[in-house]
């Protein structure tokens, strides 16, 4: 039914046909309420306009857009969940406004230009799943010049972390198992626990210093080629003495208009109780990496009204949690010790939805390389 | 490397090569400490004797047996985890006592008779994974007449349950999603949530009445053929008025000797702090179903010293939790209302490690059939 689709794509789309994954995403109130707030914040840009929802799932964002007054919403999803979205749309008497299309944005036809693209495309570690390329495709195929993309910007962060509890629970545990020394399990335990990135929730106390911006994406201008390989050189100065267990990755996305588009500046109280974070909250002030990969960071000025959906350890947890890349051996770092190196994220050649992670790090005169794949 | 092995077997054994699954099982203190207690309770039957550990995993039960004085322990596992078990054995200088064999009990050679079989073979819903047949094979190949099998008996229970929280969370949830009626999702949500058995933890308050014994297994006499299809007719009388949401399944296993074998009757305090449940605890008194499938039950006399490992909802939780079979529609039952029907568990022809479940139930004059597969 879906053309031009690899077997990996098919498996990926199939995975979204299970209801549980949509239940989890919808029940993530930070996620869903921030999107709803953003849609109503931009109500004047949506009213009477044409919207495309890239990867609509059960269709809830499309319905929010229809309720915000959109003239027409194209709700596109390549998973069979689109059939359910269509049922929900019919049951809500919105079939005249919301057109559900089962297929990839690369393949479906929309015979008009659109004013707004909305999409919840973010994967673990921001780029896992590579769904941003579908948003870019939709933008390049259908978005009017000056049109709105929600979210508009995304930023991937990394920071060194300490997490002895986690390390002890999976590794040190084997050294005394009901009185038996099972240390012989440790090498395999390290491989099983830490070879691949691990999605889990950490807290601010696990983070050794301020995060570094791995990649900042402007959805209005980003290209698919730009996302194929992302390289960054980083440098941290540890704020404390602790065993360094690895790095954490998280992201935030902002809902800003294209240059010079005013938003409606609704007060959040008009949108129901929100766990949305308005900028001004210092925890969500993001910074921008220089394109040349240097570790300089500069604050970007964001308007006070820009909604930010943050998945940082110090913010309210979301279903994305954080993504952790653990070392096999902790590295003891002192206060003010430098941790530096480089990171390359690239699409797997085996399956473009997988993410290859090449990490180099040096601290206290010792250098390491860690290669892993997020599958 | 493993002969006579289907591709399903290979996938099954492969799944046990990941360390995390062994970490979870070992960290289940109810499980591991009850096994340890049982081994030391039968120390006089193990000292100077030959033991085989069927599905040894990381080898912890084999090491307990060696520490209890076994002359020789054959630790058999068809998963590559056996390689790790061998490393652990070497590191503990037990290579002269514990012989690790990588292979299926059907394929490996042991050139002597054994006095004791120990195995932690129980799967979800007791019979999922079908590993009991490996214990039977080991028994028939190697166990001396009058030898000891630990555990010696196993009992699978079922009971009707009410669980509105769970039903509301996955099903009723869709009726009002951030103010939107997404009831159109309900049929698919029911299918995704309740088509297959669900492994989760319930509590005593979810159970509507006393459990029914689906199957009692005597490991000294059970045959492989006897396990291929298990049929039971059940009859419950609800002790309360509540929506009936489905049935829960759980099991216990007992560590009893063959007829007339005394155990050492160690005091539990000599075995370290235990969460083992000694019989006499009324919650673990099991009963026996008639072989002809009638719903009559009779108490079996167990000695006060028989250790029982229980996975019942009213006992301390284990990693087995309980297995729930939910209906798509709750059935309202009144106090003293009869719930009756039949249950057939059979090995899937597609994959013998899967379990086909055919459930018929009648209550208040309405009859239902539910077919599901535990994969």
């Amino acid at each position: 039914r879906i053309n031009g689709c690899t077997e990996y794509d098919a498996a990926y789309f199939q995975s979204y046909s299970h209801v549980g994954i949509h239940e989890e995403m919808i029940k993530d109130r930070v996620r869903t309420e921030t999107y709803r707030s953003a849609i109503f914040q931009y109500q004047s840009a949506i009213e009477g306009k044409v919207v495309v929802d890239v990867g609509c799932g059960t269709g809830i964002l499309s319905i929010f857009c229809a309720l915000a007054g959109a003239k027409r919403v194209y709700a596109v999803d390549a998973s069979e969940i689109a059939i359910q979205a269509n049922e929900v749309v019919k049951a809500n008497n919105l079939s005249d406004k919301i057109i559900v299309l089962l297929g990839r944005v690369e393949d479906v036809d929309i015979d008009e230009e659109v004013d707004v693209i909305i999409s919840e495309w973010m994967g673990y570690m921001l780029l896992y799943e590579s769904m941003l390329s579908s948003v870019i495709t939709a933008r390049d195929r259908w978005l009017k010049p000056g049109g709105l993309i929600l979210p508009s910007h995304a930023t991937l962060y990394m920071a060194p972390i300490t997490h002895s509890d986690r390390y002890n629970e999976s590794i040190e545990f084997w050294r005394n198992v009901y009185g038996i020394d099972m240390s012989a399990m440790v090498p395999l335990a390290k491989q099983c626990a830490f070879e691949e990135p691990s999605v889990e929730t950490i807290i601010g106390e696990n983070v050794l210093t301020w995060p570094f911006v791995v990649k900042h994406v402007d959805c209005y201008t980003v290209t698919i080629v730009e996302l194929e390989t992302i390289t960054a050189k980083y440098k941290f100065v540890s704020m404390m003495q602790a065993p360094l267990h690895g790095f954490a990755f998280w992201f935030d996305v902002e809902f800003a208009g294209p240059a010079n588009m005013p938003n409606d500046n609704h007060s959040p109280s008009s949108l129901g109780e929100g766990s949305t974070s308005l900028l001004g909250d210092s925890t969500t002030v993001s910074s921008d990496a220089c394109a040349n990969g240097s570790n300089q960071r500069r604050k970007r000025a964001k308007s006070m009204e820009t909604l930010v959906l943050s998945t940082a350890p110090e913010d309210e947890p979301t279903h994305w949690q954080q993504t952790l890349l653990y070392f096999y051996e902790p590295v003891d770092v002192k206060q003010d010790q430098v941790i530096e190196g480089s990171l390359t994220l690239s699409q797997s050649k085996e399956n473009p939805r997988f993410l290859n992670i090449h990490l180099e790090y040096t601290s206290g005169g010792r250098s390491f390389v860690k290669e892993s794949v997020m599958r």
Side-chain angles (χ1 to χ4, degrees), chain A:
Chain A
R1 179 137 34 147
I2 299 168
N3 302 320
C5 191
T6 69
E7 67 182 297
Y8 292 113
D9 280 343
Y12 171 72
F13 295 136
Q14 174 64 27
S15 75
Y16 275 89
S17 64
H18 194 280
V19 169
I21 196 171
H22 297 284
E23 183 189 321
E24 184 195 14
M25 292 189 294
I26 289 174
K27 284 183 172 171
D28 179 343
R29 300 189 76 88
V30 175
R31 165 194 179 272
T32 307
E33 290 181 348
T34 306
Y35 268 87
R36 184 176 59 171
S37 296
I39 288 164
F40 284 93
Q41 192 179 40
Y42 286 96
Q43 186 159 17
S44 67
I46 291 171
E47 261 179 331
K49 299 294 174 60
V50 180
V51 178
V52 59
D53 176 358
V54 177
C56 67
T58 58
I60 189 166
L61 300 184
S62 294
I63 292 174
F64 288 152
C65 289
L67 296 178
K71 180 173 75 175
R72 196 155 35 252
V73 183
Y74 293 97
V76 185
D77 206 301
S79 157
E80 306 253 316
I81 198 69
I83 297 164
Q84 298 299 312
N86 199 41
E87 294 301 311
V88 172
V89 165
K90 277 196 287 186
N92 283 276
N93 297 314
L94 291 168
S95 298
D96 57 330
K97 284 192 190 275
I98 301 176
I99 297 157
V100 179
L101 299 171
L102 172 61
R104 304 188 307 163
V105 289
E106 291 80 358
D107 302 323
V108 300
D109 287 317
I110 296 179
D111 293 329
E112 61 182 323
E113 290 193 305
V114 307
D115 303 283
V116 180
I117 292 174
I118 189 157
S119 180
E120 197 278 79
W121 53 266
M122 300 84 74
Y124 297 123
M125 213 174 162
L126 187 62
L127 297 172
Y128 179 64
E129 300 187 62
S130 302
M131 201 179 135
L132 177 54
S133 63
S134 298
V135 175
I136 297 170
T137 301
R139 179 196 71 195
D140 294 347
R141 288 191 70 185
W142 303 308
L143 189 67
K144 279 183 192 166
L148 176 66
I149 305 179
L150 296 177
S152 58
H153 299 82
T155 308
L156 174 64
Y157 302 86
M158 73 183 283
I161 58 115
T162 186
H163 202 344
S164 294
D165 288 351
R166 173 75 166 88
Y167 194 82
N168 292 343
E169 174 187 299
S170 299
I171 309 303
E172 295 301 315
F173 158 73
W174 292 103
R175 303 204 185 275
N176 181 345
V177 182
Y178 300 86
I180 300 167
D181 179 358
M182 299 185 77
S183 302
M185 293 293 298
V186 165
L188 187 63
K190 285 177 177 175
Q191 192 188 334
C192 286
F194 300 144
E195 185 175 19
E196 296 186 6
S198 173
V199 175
E200 52 192 89
T201 297
I202 59 168
I203 58 175
E205 283 66 38
N206 296 119
V207 180
L208 288 176
T209 187
W210 299 106
F212 169 82
V213 172
V214 174
K215 176 72 180 174
H216 180 71
V217 173
D218 179 339
C219 298
Y220 292 105
T221 58
V222 65
T223 62
I224 289 175
V225 170
E226 187 183 335
L227 296 171
E228 281 169 4
T229 301
I230 291 167
T231 299
K233 286 199 198 306
Y234 61 82
K235 180 174 179 176
F236 298 101
V237 178
S238 180
M239 287 167 60
M240 50 186 136
Q241 173 166 343
L244 167 66
H245 287 107
F247 292 99
F249 297 83
W250 65 84
F251 64 87
D252 60 30
V253 296
E254 299 158 48
F255 297 84
N260 302 322
M261 175 188 274
N263 68 44
D264 290 10
N265 196 12
H266 275 248
S267 119
S269 61
S270 68
L271 309 171
E273 84 281 47
S275 33
T276 58
S277 51
L278 285 170
L279 200 80
D281 174 354
S282 66
T283 61
T284 55
V285 175
S286 75
S287 43
D288 201 349
C290 290
N292 63 9
S294 99
N295 65 348
Q296 276 190 284
R297 294 154 66 193
R298 61 190 163 83
K299 290 273 164 70
R300 276 182 311 109
K302 287 194 258 189
S303 90
M304 286 299 288
E305 294 79 19
T306 302
L307 279 165
V308 176
L309 167 54
S310 167
T311 68
E314 66 270 26
D315 291 322
E316 197 178 341
T318 71
H319 80 285
W320 285 286
Q321 306 182 72
Q322 287 83 42
T323 299
L324 281 287
L325 210 56
Y326 285 101
F327 305 156
Y328 286 5
E329 291 291 341
V331 177
D332 285 318
V333 300
K334 299 196 186 76
Q335 193 178 326
D336 297 329
Q337 188 168 321
V338 168
I339 303 157
E340 60 188 334
S342 66
L343 174 77
T344 302
L345 304 176
S346 53
Q347 283 183 9
S348 159
K349 292 200 168 46
E350 178 196 348
N351 177 345
R353 296 196 186 272
F354 291 172
L355 202 56
N356 287 335
I357 304 168
H358 175 91
L359 176 74
E360 300 186 9
Y361 57 103
T362 297
S363 192
R366 297 170 62 204
S367 292
F368 307 87
V369 175
K370 185 176 173 81
E371 298 272 6
S372 60
V373 183
M374 192 154 190
R375 294 169 202 283

